[in-house]
Amino acid sequence: MIRNKKKILIFFTSICLPALIVISPDWLKINGISPCWPVIFLLPFSLENRPWRAVIASIFLGFYMDSFIISEVSYIPSLLILSLFWSQYGLRHKKIELFLGLGLMAIFGTALVDISIWIQKIILHSVLRNNWFHSWSIYVLISNAIITGLVAPFFSSWLLIAYKKN
């Protein structure tokens, strides 16, 4: 019964992810930039599971996100690194005592995801000389990290509690 509840929870969160990406409410945005939802959903799953399960989940989540976003860049490398790091952290520190610790991990995770996308775009399009692109990327990185850091403690802690109960 516990295994079925965990499967239902994972299915429910996988259905909510595209809905939150597409219809993210305006009050959860900073100047049109919404939180990094893959980081928010991957964080509690990686903290609660072993590295191999977290890696598989990050690869599937990366493919899932890449299917919604039409671009040459991919979420997979950054989510893979984050899942390995967070699952190792979860193995060593079974108890996360601070509510804002999740927010801090989400800020660093979002920054890694945005920097990875930035680097991939630089490699693919060789836009090293375009100052507008770099100023826009820095603005998106900072805004995305701030809003994810504010939203992640609420959503990720709720998912973390739900995973621990099941």
Side-chain angles (χ1 to χ4, degrees), residues 38-159:
V39 170
I40 293 172
F41 281 98
L42 185 65
L43 177 60
F45 188 80
S46 295
L47 287 174
E48 281 298 307
N49 290 301
R50 300 238 176 241
W52 64 273
R53 285 182 108 184
V55 165
I56 291 171
S58 68
I59 291 172
F60 282 134
L61 185 62
F63 281 131
Y64 198 55
M65 288 303 301
D66 291 343
S67 68
F68 286 109
I69 299 167
I70 300 171
S71 180
E72 298 91 14
V73 298
S74 178
Y75 276 88
I76 296 173
S78 56
L79 292 179
L80 187 69
I81 291 169
L82 287 175
S83 66
L84 285 172
F85 178 72
W86 286 336
S87 61
Q88 289 297 325
Y89 182 81
L91 287 176
R92 290 194 179 93
H93 305 93
K94 282 292 185 187
K95 188 176 180 183
I96 296 177
E97 296 176 4
L98 294 176
F99 181 71
L100 297 177
L102 291 172
L104 190 62
M105 284 190 274
I107 286 172
F108 289 131
T110 304
L112 181 72
V113 168
D114 287 345
I115 288 171
S116 170
I117 289 173
W118 191 3
I119 290 171
Q120 289 176 37
K121 285 186 179 184
I122 288 173
I123 291 171
L124 289 174
H125 300 291
S126 64
V127 289
L128 287 174
R129 295 187 183 137
N130 193 348
N131 289 332
W132 177 81
F133 173 75
H134 294 298
S135 64
W136 174 79
S137 297
I138 291 171
Y139 170 75
V140 169
L141 188 143
I142 291 170
S143 299
N144 203 355
I146 289 171
I147 193 64
T148 305
L150 293 173
V151 170
F154 300 106
F155 285 99
S156 294
S157 65
W158 174 75
L159 285 171

Side-chain angles (χ1 to χ4, degrees), residues 16-28:
C16 287
L17 182 64
L20 287 171
I21 291 169
V22 173
I23 51 175
S24 185
D26 286 337
W27 55 272
L28 281 180

